């Protein structure tokens, strides 16, 4: 048995050094276990266990894009310094150029073109040497002069001390490849989304759009991430104290490093009307995740007058449900039409922070902070992101286009639970429902535009008709400032 143990140790060392040793590991199919056998012994009933199967190596990741950019410097100088973010006691080293948010522990290394002779005297050395491995492999780098290379790690303590594979990350092509076929990535790269309100829902939507390949973001929010936000917001505890726009910017870049992200720390109020109007003008789509009616109406007015589609999302109190309104100016009802048809909306809107509670203190009664669970906000955010994608790809062919048939309503309603005290308290259980409303389903709701809507309709004609006047005889309104 001790013989077997020493053979296993020998085989493990051989795997770590990626060299043949005195013994090797095999999976014995009859015994159903892993055993060590002497190298050279035929084992017809067994499977060989290789270094790749062992998957015991740390990984050093270099940026292909960076290396291509620096290639002429490397060929001229013969070596280049390279910095890494070191994770998990050095188990993973990720080149700093790839890190939006690094580990806090850095490791320095030297990149050397050609075989490094002997062991490195100090620090980590990565030799970049020609290889005949196929170029699609992640451990192969193709230089600008079209030669395949691999990286070989040499550490001061010797090659087997901390075995690590060297791989190359080619960010943009690799991310595009995963999205290609499903989405029109080149179109999305050119699209600009204005995200107003980066609480849990707004930030989740922004990150989903980044994953889908949207290339330009403008973020607007006045708040900072607090400890209490962390249970719901995609930003984590290490981000507490930062503005939500900057937290979200990093989350976007972690998913889509090529994205352009512009941030604005400000209130969504009339005092910032002109700045907001400029941002709306610069965008293709507006996503409004603010949780008070005034800000939604202000954004609505700006979007309708700039003819920009907008999607508004929000949760009900303690997120027992949520709703989404999609506005295509002058084609579908706007936020003002919506509010006019549903006057009680504000009373049931979710209040998730004391600031929000203060902002909507519309009565003498103190407004309680009643946040819901992240789990209950997620379905609303994903649906909102999907509707946003449909708008961004509206005039392009994509696999999402088949959804136009299903998502043709202006207003969407979702319920997470039959909340006591609401009109949904007596919904039938999900399993027993026939045609009745239940939890966990999206309902598309149709309602008409208000022809006399002061924002998107012909308000003057309506007013004139109400007073028995001929609207064509009314004096023209002064131009808006
Ligand atoms: Zn309207």
């Amino acid at each position: 048995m001790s013989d077997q143990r020493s053979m296993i140790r020998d085989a493990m060392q051989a795997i770590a050094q990626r060299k043949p040793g005195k013994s090797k590991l095999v999976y014995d199919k009859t015994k159903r276990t892993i055993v060590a056998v002497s190298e050279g012994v035929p084992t017809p009933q067994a499977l060989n266990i290789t270094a790749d199967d062992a998957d015991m190596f740390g990984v050093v990741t270099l940026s292909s894009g960076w290396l291509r950019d620096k290639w002429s410097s490397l060929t001229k100088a013969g070596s280049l310094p390279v910095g890494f973010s070191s994770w998990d006691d050095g188990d993973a080293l990720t080149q700093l150029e790839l890190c939006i948010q690094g580990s806090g522990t850095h490791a320095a290394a030297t990149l050397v073109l050609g075989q490094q002779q002997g062991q490195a005297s100090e620090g980590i050395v990565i030799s970049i040497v020609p290889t005949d491995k196929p170029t699609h492999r992640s451990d192969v780098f193709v230089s600008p002069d079209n030669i395949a290379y691999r990286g070989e790690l040499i550490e001061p303590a010797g090659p087997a001390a901390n075995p690590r594979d060297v791989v190359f990350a080619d960010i943009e092509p690799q991310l595009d490849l995963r999205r290609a076929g499903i989405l029109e990535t080149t179109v999305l790269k050119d699209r600009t989304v204005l995200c107003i309100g980066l609480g849990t829902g707004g930030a989740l939507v922004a990150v989903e759009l980044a994953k889908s390949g949207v290339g330009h973001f403008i973020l607007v929010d006045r708040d900072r991430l607090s400890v209490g936000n962390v249970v719901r917001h995609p930003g984590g505890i290490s981000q507490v104290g930062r503005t939500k726009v900057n937290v979200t910017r990093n989350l976007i870049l972690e998913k889509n490093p090529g994205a352009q992200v512009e941030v604005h720390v400000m209130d969504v109020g009339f005092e910032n009307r002109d700045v907001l109007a400029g941002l709306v003008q610069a965008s293709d789509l507006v996503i409004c995740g603010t949780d008070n009616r005034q800000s939604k109406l202000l954004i609505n007015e700006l979007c309708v007058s700039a003819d920009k589609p907008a999607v508004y999302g929000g949760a009900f109190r303690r997120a027992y449900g949520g709703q989404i309104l999609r506005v295509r100016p002058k084609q579908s009802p706007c936020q003002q039409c919506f509010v006019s048809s549903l006057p009680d909306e504000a009373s049931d809107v979710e209040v998730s922070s004391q600031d929000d509670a203060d902002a909507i203190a519309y009565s003498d009664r103190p407004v309680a902070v009643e946040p819901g669970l992240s789990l209950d906000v997620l379905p609303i955010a994903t649906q909102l992101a999907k509707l946003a994608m449909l708008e961004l790809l509206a005039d392009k062919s994509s696999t999402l286009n088949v959804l136009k048939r299903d998502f043709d309503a202006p207003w969407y309603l979702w319920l997470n639970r039959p909340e006591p005290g609401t009109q949904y308290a007596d919904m039938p259980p999900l399993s027993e429902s026939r045609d009745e409303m239940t939890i966990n389903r999206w309902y598309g709701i149709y309602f008409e535009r208000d022809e006399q809507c002061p924002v998107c309709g012909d308000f003057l004609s309506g007013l004139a008709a109400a007073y028995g006047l001929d609207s064509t005889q009314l004096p023209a309104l002064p131009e808006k400032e």
Side-chain angles (χ1 to χ4, degrees), residues 277 280-281 301-308 329:
V280 167
Q281 197 62 53
E301 188 212 318
L302 298 175
C303 290
V304 171
S305 77
D307 197 24
K308 302 288 181 181

Side-chain angles (χ1 to χ4, degrees), residues 382-403:
T382 48
Q383 174 74 356
L384 205 157
K386 228 177 241 184
L387 289 170
M389 292 291 291
L390 274 183
E391 291 308 299
L392 290 171
L393 295 168
D395 52 346
K396 303 288 171 192
S397 69
S398 87
T399 51
L400 289 182
N401 283 2
V402 292
L403 286 173

Side-chain angles (χ1 to χ4, degrees), residues 452-467:
Q452 279 125 42
C453 170
V455 176
C456 76
D458 189 355
F459 182 60
L460 268 191
S461 299
L463 198 64
Y467 287 93

Side-chain angles (χ1 to χ4, degrees), residues 333-334 336-337 450 453 455-457:
C334 78
Q336 184 69 55
C337 300
D450 176 2
C453 170
V455 176
C456 76

Side-chain angles (χ1 to χ4, degrees), residues 280-301:
V280 167
Q281 197 62 53
S283 66
D284 296 301
L285 172 73
V286 177
I287 291 169
C288 185
T290 64
D291 45 15
N292 66 78
R293 185 185 280 188
Q294 295 91 320
S295 60
K296 281 180 181 165
L297 288 176
L298 170 61
I299 298 306
N300 178 60
E301 188 212 318

